[in-house]
Amino acid sequence: MATSGEVVTYDQLEDRSVRLAKALRGRGVGGGDHIAVLMENNRQFLEVAWAAQRSGLHYTAINSHLRPGEVQYVLDDCGAVTLVASEAMADVVAGLDLSGVPVRISAVGDLPGFERYDEVLAAEDPGPLEDEGEGREMLYSSGTTGRPKGVRKPLPGTPFGDPTAIPVLLAQALAGQGGGVRPGSVYLSPAPLYHAAPLVYSMSMHRLGATVVVMERFDPQQCLALIERHRVTHAQFVPTMFVRMLRLPPEERERHDVSSLEFAIHAAAPCPVAVKRQMLEWWGPIIHEYYAGTEDIGGTFISAEEWLAHPGSVGRPLGECHIVDEDGYLYLTDRVSNMIISGGVNIYPREVEDVLIVHPGVVDVAVIGVSDAEMGEAVRAIVQPVEPPSDPDAFADELITFCRDRIAHYK
């Protein structure tokens, strides 16, 4: 862990994930059941994910910024029978109806009605888990309309570690990128683990024997310091992170040795051409890009060298794709939908509109995305008030507070 300095060895990861898997079986969780994880980035997060992965379970990592109503929707929709949370989520957990979630475990600290993670593990015997089978993540995609959609991928139905299982094949594909991930590689994960790419990449790195350095939250100065301190070889970013690193004073950027980096990859949102050029000038031709989705419906990839020849492209399709130029490259120019992408996160305008329209001082509202140099896009609401406010700034502050109490702050 980047800030706390906590270290989990492979031996500890094996032991803790097996113990938790046994505990879940002992509580009747198995046979393709579903568990949910609601936590900030912490030491326990990947231990819990591996317990589910080796138990043949579906597991959903829930965005830790969501409010109770939003979390409740995900829990109900996926049919979770287990919730693993942390005391940092206490205010959200307090607003949930968990009557349909019989197994509740607090991975960090105490939560009313939850078993303590350390005590749950301590009660289990060490040793192998019988009949291990590959599980699968079931994450929620922001999609383009209405509520988030759960992407239920079929369970592999294979023994844990079977070379034909999709999670194993994905790890093998990553091993071939950028000169190859191998035992001894060091992967920096600077983003929230509830997102698809950070979670799947981190677990794939574990399968390949790499060290994973997890940032509790992204800070540009700390990111560069971690690359130098841990001799990071591989990392994944979103464009907003590039912007924040480039905004550091030149002397701050230059004082960190990033020469250990062999392969950096970015995705989640379009990267401005000027930003990508500056990063390539700084780090060299090691920055690659892909475009894909949680749904695994195909995607594209472009190397640094290809991008310099086709600036602004997200690459050639890895599968079927018909919206490309004459050389076969895909460019993201606009969206048919009104979805807003802020800092790599999808936001539906309607989610915000549906909150603002119930405020007693609002007659009508339209929400759009506006350009933002740091986040890519920011959320802008155009509001028609019931009466012209005597103090428009104060009214705007009131509406923002009203939203913050009901939906995630990034929305």
Side-chain angles (χ1 to χ4, degrees):
M1 297 302 298
T3 301
S4 72
E6 290 180 281
V7 172
V8 178
T9 67
Y10 271 88
D11 187 58
Q12 291 169 330
L13 180 61
E14 173 77 6
D15 178 62
R16 293 169 186 167
S17 61
V18 166
R19 286 175 185 265
L20 180 57
K22 288 180 177 180
L24 292 174
R25 283 193 181 179
R27 288 158 177 76
V29 181
D33 281 340
H34 203 110
I35 81 168
V37 182
L38 178 63
M39 296 195 290
E40 71 286 6
N41 280 11
N42 58 34
R43 184 212 86 200
Q44 291 85 346
F45 203 115
L46 292 172
E47 298 173 7
V48 174
W50 274 116
Q53 183 70 49
R54 70 192 313 153
S55 301
L57 302 175
H58 274 116
Y59 53 101
T60 292
I62 301 176
N63 187 324
S64 60
H65 296 288
L66 299 185
R67 304 309 301 156
E70 297 168 307
V71 173
Q72 189 74 57
Y73 167 79
V74 174
L75 289 174
D76 294 344
D77 186 71
C78 74
V81 295
T82 299
L83 174 62
V84 181
S86 70
E87 64 181 358
M89 301 293 111
D91 62 330
V92 175
V93 171
L96 300 175
D97 175 7
L98 297 177
S99 58
V101 186
V103 180
R104 308 164 201 167
I105 299 171
S106 177
V108 184
D110 291 312
L111 289 170
F114 282 63
E115 300 179 84
R116 288 181 60 94
Y117 181 78
D118 291 343
E119 294 175 359
V120 168
L121 267 57
E124 299 298 327
D125 294 328
L129 176 70
E130 294 181 1
D131 300 323
E132 288 186 318
E134 288 284 353
R136 200 81 196 272
E137 78 282 356
M138 176 179 161
L139 304 180
Y140 276 71
S141 171
S142 298
T144 55
T145 57
R147 294 274 201 172
K149 310 299 192 298
V151 182
R152 185 187 287 273
K153 301 169 184 176
L155 293 172
T158 58
F160 184 53
D162 187 288
T164 65
I166 289 177
V168 180
L169 293 174
L170 176 60
Q172 292 170 347
L174 294 179
Q177 289 184 342
V181 181
R182 57 202 176 276
S185 295
V186 181
Y187 173 72
L188 178 66
S189 184
L193 289 171
Y194 55 70
H195 281 307
L199 179 60
V200 173
Y201 261 72
S202 292
M203 296 179 73
S204 295
M205 294 295 164
H206 279 156
R207 287 191 190 264
L208 298 168
T211 293
V212 177
V213 179
V214 177
M215 296 184 73
E216 285 87 347
R217 59 189 58 81
F218 181 76
D219 174 83
Q221 187 174 10
Q222 184 189 40
C223 178
L224 296 175
L226 290 167
I227 293 171
E228 180 177 24
R229 183 186 316 149
H230 295 287
R231 306 304 296 159
V232 169
T233 58
H234 295 72
Q236 182 168 197
F237 301 96
V238 298
T240 297
M241 296 172 180
F242 288 160
V243 171
R244 291 180 178 177
M245 287 189 282
L246 289 168
R247 283 186 177 177
L248 291 171
E251 61 273 15
E252 180 61 35
R253 287 195 276 128
E254 293 167 5
R255 79 181 183 90
H256 294 289
D257 179 6
V258 297
S259 62
S260 61
L261 278 173
E262 301 172 10
F263 184 89
I265 195 163
H266 67 97
C271 186
V273 170
V275 171
K276 182 79 167 270
R277 286 195 189 279
Q278 290 179 71
M279 288 301 301
L280 288 169
E281 290 169 3
W282 179 14
W283 286 2
I286 63 165
I287 302 173
H288 312 285
E289 182 175 1
Y290 70 92
Y291 170 65
T294 305
E295 297 82 2
D296 282 351
I297 54 173
T300 66
F301 177 86
I302 190 166
S303 68
E305 291 83 0
E306 283 182 292
W307 187 91
L308 288 169
H310 304 271
S313 173
V314 294
R316 293 175 183 267
L318 300 173
E320 295 264 341
C321 182
H322 303 289
I323 312 174
V324 296
D325 69 4
E326 60 185 13
D327 294 323
Y329 286 87
L330 175 67
Y331 291 79
L332 302 181
T333 56
D334 204 348
R335 293 179 299 279
V336 175
S337 77
N338 294 318
M339 186 175 64
I340 301 166
I341 302 181
S342 182
V345 179
N346 295 353
I347 301 168
Y348 312 126
R350 182 174 174 180
E351 283 189 290
V352 188
E353 292 168 350
D354 287 352
V355 171
L356 283 169
I357 198 64
V358 300
H359 186 282
V362 173
V363 173
D364 205 358
V365 58
V367 169
I368 60 172
V370 295
S371 259
D372 184 272
E374 180 177 11
M375 304 302 287
E377 286 185 299
V379 180
R380 179 69 52 83
I382 299 92
V383 174
Q384 178 188 355
V386 173
E387 297 288 344
S390 56
D391 186 342
D393 290 339
F395 184 59
D397 290 341
E398 178 185 337
L399 293 180
I400 290 171
T401 300
F402 185 79
C403 287
R404 282 180 178 270
D405 288 340
R406 290 162 176 80
I407 52 176
H409 292 192
Y410 65 80
K411 299 177 184 178

